[in-house]
Amino acid sequence: AAQERFLAASASGRLHHGWIIEGPSGIGKSIFVRRLAAYILGAVSPNAGLGDPVMQKVSAGSHPDLKWVALERNEKGQLRKDISVDQVRDLNHFFSLRPALSGWRIGVIDAIDQSNRSGMNALLKTLEEPPDRSILFLINHGSVSLLPTLRSRCQTLRLSRLDDDQTGAILAAHDALD
């Protein structure tokens, strides 16, 4: 349902520039966003496999019009405790550049609830004055409250865990049941 809502917005020609993708950890929000990003960047569909050249670039993290922001490692090789304001500022700079291949610029913060308050505030200018043909996806696990100003400037797609019947139907459709 979330994918259908996004695709309907895309097909309408009035695709919103900011999207919060939220739901519990471990349900595939990052995979979902990669598929949507690849589609906007030119993949034949959001369900395209790795045979699609755009999907290949997105999956490899090598598409020049996509910037993925996540926790970085410190000098000791350990994950930092949060996404820094400098990482967010770098993303904001990315949006000031022209698209290289697709005509779109897509930024992803995975996950916004791992950003500190300064990082969240640094996003506001980009969300208030979005560049043309740009989309910002904010993945949210719901572990902290988002700033109301961020929420008010984005559309929200809520994802949930599949129930047993849904899981069984998907496995059966892919001949993965015993």
Side-chain angles (χ1 to χ4, degrees), residues 25-173:
S25 292
I27 62 168
K29 293 182 298 294
S30 294
I31 294 168
F32 177 69
V33 168
R34 280 187 203 284
R35 290 183 12 228
L36 295 180
Y39 177 68
I40 294 300
L41 294 171
V44 295
S45 85
N47 300 320
L50 291 177
D52 184 287
V54 174
M55 188 62 80
Q56 286 176 355
K57 282 183 173 54
V58 167
S59 294
S62 62
H63 198 293
D65 296 330
L66 175 64
K67 179 147 183 85
W68 200 279
V69 177
L71 291 176
E72 293 180 333
R73 297 197 178 276
N74 64 20
E75 58 281 347
K76 295 179 182 177
Q78 299 169 331
L79 283 179
R80 296 187 183 276
K81 65 177 184 161
D82 58 16
I83 293 172
S84 71
V85 68
D86 289 335
Q87 287 178 272
V88 174
R89 287 181 181 142
D90 190 40
L91 176 63
N92 289 340
H93 173 71
F94 167 80
F95 280 120
S96 72
L97 304 173
R98 298 184 94 152
L101 294 178
S102 69
W104 285 88
R105 294 298 252 179
I106 298 179
V108 179
I109 296 186
D110 186 4
I112 189 63
D113 47 353
Q114 293 172 328
S115 179
N116 58 37
R117 197 166 206 59
S118 297
M120 287 186 204
N121 279 320
L123 282 174
L124 290 176
K125 183 168 176 38
T126 297
L127 285 169
E128 289 168 352
E129 301 171 20
D132 288 338
R133 298 181 58 84
S134 66
I135 298 176
L136 178 62
F137 288 105
L138 305 175
I139 297 173
N140 181 24
H141 304 307
S143 60
V144 298
S145 294
L146 295 184
L147 296 174
T149 49
L150 277 182
R151 223 175 246 295
S152 69
R153 287 164 176 78
C154 295
Q155 297 291 310
T156 300
L157 295 175
R158 287 184 179 81
L159 305 182
S160 58
R161 285 184 170 82
L162 299 177
D163 63 31
D164 290 343
D165 291 339
Q166 292 168 318
T167 302
I170 290 169
L171 292 173

